[in-house]
Amino acid sequence: MSSRPRFLLFIISLVMAGVFIGLGVWQLRRLSTRKAANLLAAQSRDADPVDLNINPGIRSDLSNRRVQVRGVYDRSHEIILRQHLYQEVPGLEVITPLRIEGRDSAILVNRGFTPSPDAVTAKVESLEEPGTVMVRGIAFPVPTSPDSGGPIVHGGQLSWRRLDLGGLRTRIPYPLMDVYLLQLPDSTLPARPIRLEPPALDNGPHLSYAIQWFSFAVIAVVGGWLFTFRQAPGIMHRDPTEW
C-alpha cells in the first residue's frame, strides 16, 4: 500500500479516536448526573416519612420519599404485573389501589411478589388484607408508556407488562395519585405476597463504559500509528507533496 492511503487511514483512526473519547466523556457526564440523582434520592429516603392522611393536599415531589398512609384495599381493581423474577423464581407483582381514609382518591401499592410458573397467571384470591391497613413504603412516579402498559388477558386473567398512569386512570373509577408505593418488608405483614426491597441506588455501568470507550480510543491511535508508520519506515521524512 502506498504512503498516501496509509496516511489517510491514520487520519481516519484519529477521527475514530476522537469519537470514542467523546463517547467516554458522555458516559462520565451520565455518571455524574446519576450520582447527583442518587444523592437526592438517598436524602429523600432518609427524610421523615410523609403521612398522606395528615397531609392530604401535599403537592411536593414524593419521588423516593418514605410515605405512610392508612386506608382500605380495593382488590376489585387490582393490577397484576407479569413477567417478573424474584431470586430467579418467575412470578408476578401485585399492585392494589388503596382507598385513602377520609379522601375520595387512592394510591397504588405494590404489595410484592407472588410466584407463577408462567409468570403471567397466578391465583391471587388468597392474598387478602381486609379492613383498614397502614401502609409504609417508598414512593415512585407512576410511569406513562406508549403501549398503555401492555394489558393482555391470558387464562381469563388480566395482566399488565408495566404500570401506565393514563391507562390505569381510564380503568379505575376514582382519582389516582401520580405516585405508587413500594411497600417495605415488615415482619407483621402476611408472608404473601413477598414484600420487595427498594431498588439499589448504584452508579450503573457508566464508568465501565467510559473506560471501554477510552480504551478503544487508545487502540485506534496506536493501531493506526503502527499500521501507517511501522510498515513504511522513513515515511515521516518524505516530502509532504508525495503524500
Side-chain angles (χ1 to χ4, degrees):
M1 183 182 291
S2 65
S3 59
R4 178 174 294 179
R6 280 197 296 265
F7 187 74
L8 289 176
L9 286 175
F10 181 61
I11 295 300
I12 292 173
S13 72
L14 291 180
V15 172
M16 292 177 61
V19 172
F20 295 150
I21 291 172
L23 290 170
V25 171
W26 173 60
Q27 287 292 342
L28 291 179
R29 288 174 178 166
R30 294 187 68 190
L31 174 62
S32 177
T33 300
R34 184 154 181 168
K35 283 183 175 180
N38 285 345
L39 178 60
L40 289 176
Q43 292 172 344
S44 294
R45 293 184 185 185
D46 290 340
D48 292 335
V50 174
D51 191 320
L52 293 183
N53 298 102
I54 297 176
N55 301 282
I58 188 168
R59 291 293 183 268
S60 61
D61 183 12
L62 291 175
S63 179
N64 275 292
R65 288 294 302 271
R66 286 191 296 151
V67 171
Q68 63 183 36
V69 57
R70 187 171 55 255
V72 177
Y73 283 125
D74 175 15
R75 299 207 59 206
S76 64
H77 292 96
E78 197 159 70
I79 302 136
I80 303 299
L81 296 185
R82 62 182 180 272
Q83 297 176 354
H84 283 264
L85 286 174
Y86 176 76
Q87 298 181 350
E88 304 304 319
V89 176
L92 312 166
E93 290 185 7
V94 182
I95 317 290
T96 312
L98 182 81
R99 302 296 305 270
I100 301 173
E101 187 176 75
R103 297 171 57 182
D104 63 351
S105 59
I107 186 168
L108 298 175
V109 178
N110 185 330
R111 294 199 290 143
F113 175 89
T114 186
S116 166
D118 64 1
V120 177
T121 57
K123 296 184 180 300
V124 295
E125 294 80 5
S126 62
L127 305 178
E128 190 70 40
E129 295 181 55
T132 301
V133 296
M134 173 64 80
V135 178
R136 296 177 175 86
I138 304 291
F140 296 97
V142 181
T144 298
S145 59
D147 62 354
S148 298
I152 62 170
V153 176
H154 179 77
Q157 186 176 64
L158 175 67
S159 68
W160 302 66
R161 185 67 187 91
R162 62 190 66 81
L163 292 177
D164 174 75
L165 184 60
L168 293 171
R169 280 179 168 169
T170 63
R171 291 172 177 259
I172 296 179
Y174 40 78
L176 279 179
M177 294 187 65
D178 59 4
V179 294
Y180 73 93
L181 289 189
L182 178 66
Q183 189 173 26
L184 295 173
D186 188 324
S187 59
T188 64
L189 295 170
R192 294 289 175 89
I194 302 167
R195 270 62 184 188
L196 302 172
E197 295 287 346
L201 298 174
D202 59 52
N203 292 327
H206 303 299
L207 180 59
S208 62
Y209 287 166
I211 293 172
Q212 289 178 16
W213 287 121
F214 292 141
S215 300
F216 292 157
V218 172
I219 292 170
V221 173
V222 173
W225 176 270
L226 292 177
F227 183 82
T228 303
F229 300 111
R230 192 173 183 181
Q231 291 189 16
I235 191 171
M236 294 297 289
H237 304 288
R238 294 187 180 185
D239 188 334
T241 60
E242 297 179 11
W243 290 348

